[in-house]
Amino acid sequence: MALIGFDIHDGIVFVTINNPPVNALVQPVRQRLLEVVREIETSKEAIAIVLRGVGRTFVAGADINELGKPQKPYLPDILNEIASSRRPWVAALHGSVLGGGLELAMACHGRVAAAGAKLGLPEVTLGVIPGAGGTVRLPRLIPMQHAITMATSGKPISATQALEWGLVDDIPGGSIEDAAAALAINLASAGRASLLERPVLISADINWEEQEKAIRSKARGANAPLEALAALKEAMLLQPEIALENERERFLRLADREESRALRHVFFAERAAGRSLKAIAADPADLRHIGIIGGGTMGAAIATAFLLAGSKVILVEQDNGAVARALERVRETIGESARRGAVAKGKDAEALGRLVCRNSLEALKDCELVIEAVFEDMNVKTSVFERLDAVMSPNAVLATNTSYLDVDAIAASTRYPERVLGLHFFSPAHVMKLLEVVRGRVTGERALATAGALAKHLQKIAVVSRVCDGFIGNRIMASYRRECELMLEEGATPSDVDAAMREFGFAMGIFEVQDMSGLDIAWAQRKAKRSEKLSEGRAACIADRLCEAGRLGRKAGRGWYDYSHGRPEPDAEVIEIILDESRKAGCQRRPFTGAEIITRILQTMQREGLAILEEQIAESAADIDVVMINGYGFPRFRGGPMHMLEMSKAHLLPIA
């Protein structure tokens, strides 16, 4: 079938886009669509047109590779011809209707949607704004407040929400093509006014300054959401033709900026992550029935992730009391997911019904995959794996959820080390998208195939790491955390460092993060390293002294900051400890600028990242960026530390 097919039945022209898998509006598709639009316009038989897409979706956008490299015909020109056609066009929408796909649908004179369709303008997630009339047409179809939400967040809405707001005309119970044809005939008979002649749907109570302030706060340094807001405001204030021209100019300008290049890098990096797992031909373990050992915070969250994905889970704890507590944790975690709308109504009870809690490892013997999620202690974990070895079939895959420990040493405690791998889930495991898959020295293909299938099953981004202390993410974080503590000795304060990181685009600074997660976890790791005589080079002792003083973070009411009033506040005791350690280290204290702090942090991340690549711990530099963005809050719109290093080499960014 041609890229654009069309046929006529009783005066209705059915135009079909056929560019699988997502019907992207690449240049050849645009070229043929423009030709078809013009052929139909001169046809004497055509009364009305139904526009549809074949396969699983209508149109999920344009080709991201074409961003910044415009090729004729341009999408806005095609959409303007459709919008000004003498005959009505009606879009029959299903699957994903995103970006240029939604702009195409809005240029039509009517829209019907399948019940499961998703509609959105995700351009801001790529550092641009809609460039084919999206910000001008959208607020003429739906209230401006909703248009602001869609265009500045990039999040899609359901067909039901689209119908309620006015973005689509109908959600038929039957064929969307038949419903679209009926609507097209009605429009041909009744006549219609151009959408651009309609007024913008604006309520008098929109405070544009407040909108900008709120969006700026959420964007944390990203520019595209603010540009989208400005374009929507112009759609209200200017003549439509001028607003369309301005929107296009904004789109082209943004597409050529570093923010868009960085976000495109992340888009492709996330899709390429875990490439070695995708190349494995072995059969994975059956994920319909899995086992988890440990029902603490992490174990309960991992169980929740599998339950919500449709798996049956056997959760094992050490005694009946611990079993009861684990069951309650899972119930609370699923309930929280339901309250925030992450679980469809009624599905929470269904998910919980697939959970079985037991106090014996024998209950796991029929599972093909078991994930250990007990306390982060090598002796405890190896003990669990030794006992599992006696229970599980040789074909079962055994995974350890660890963030630091030596997976090879854990595997060596079993008779079949090839079936052992690490799965570093990020907390909360049922929410966070990142999964570090730790490939041991002898990890076999079935175990790795299982990791790849598991990531897909749970809709996570899998990044493969070889074995080292902290793997990819925690190794880099430990490195720049040490650097931040050294800056404290040299003259910075915790609030200086955290403020610089927030200004750069992190949601929280490193010391705020430590307080939230608890200082005792890293403290235990440092003590273990010292007992094994593993040197870290020069390191500050400030964090150790805070822990010794009982300052373990938010859970203790004090850590790097004081939380007695609920919010983090600088504490004189912490400053005194810092000053004392500065004196011991012989440091001449000096003030630090935010730029100096960020430069030190970035250089440390990049230096450690290069070492990780040299040691072949990570499969690519892009994987390191994916880990730091999705697991550690590195600002997405900057592309990751390794991307920034490459851009500095190309002289597109200041050298960090």
Side-chain angles (χ1 to χ4, degrees), residues 410-429:
I410 294 172
S413 68
T414 72
R415 289 174 296 165
Y416 308 103
E418 69 276 4
R419 65 172 171 175
V420 177
L421 77 161
L423 294 175
H424 178 203
F425 287 86
F426 285 72
S427 186

Side-chain angles (χ1 to χ4, degrees), residues 138-160:
L138 185 63
R140 287 172 162 81
L141 286 168
I142 70 175
M144 178 62 87
Q145 187 61 61
H146 300 323
I148 291 172
T149 299
M150 287 186 68
T152 63
S153 73
K155 295 178 181 177
I157 61 171
S158 67
T160 303

Side-chain angles (χ1 to χ4, degrees), residues 426 436 470-478 480 612 627-628 632:
F426 285 72
E436 277 186 317
F471 317 124
I472 298 171
N474 276 338
R475 174 171 165 175
I476 291 175
M477 187 180 75
Y480 80 80
I612 284 170
V627 168
M628 297 312 295
Y632 299 85

Side-chain angles (χ1 to χ4, degrees), residues 66 87 91 113 117 125 160 217 221-222 249 269 344 366 370 415 502 517 560 625 652-653:
E66 290 185 9
R87 300 172 176 88
T125 66
T160 303
S217 175
E249 183 278 326
D366 294 327
V370 173
R415 289 174 296 165
R502 288 194 304 272
S517 59
W560 289 101
D625 290 333
L652 295 175
L653 280 177

Side-chain angles (χ1 to χ4, degrees), residues 305-386:
F306 276 96
L307 292 168
L308 295 180
S311 298
K312 178 182 177 182
V313 175
I314 297 179
L315 180 59
V316 172
E317 261 292 358
Q318 56 188 344
D319 55 47
N320 289 336
V323 163
R325 291 189 294 274
L327 177 60
E328 186 56 32
R329 277 191 204 97
V330 176
R331 182 180 287 115
E332 289 175 358
T333 307
I334 290 178
E336 182 270 331
S337 296
R339 285 190 293 275
R340 62 184 174 84
V343 183
K345 189 175 182 181
K347 294 293 184 180
D348 49 344
E350 182 183 313
L352 198 59
R354 289 191 292 272
L355 175 66
V356 175
C357 293
R358 294 289 184 266
N359 65 1
S360 169
L361 294 181
E362 287 286 337
L364 303 173
K365 64 182 180 181
D366 294 327
C367 296
E368 290 190 18
L369 169 67
V370 173
I371 301 172
E372 164 274 310
V374 301
F375 187 68
E376 187 82 341
D377 178 275
M378 181 61 82
N379 292 331
V380 174
K381 287 183 183 286
T382 52
S383 173
V384 168
F385 273 79
E386 287 168 1

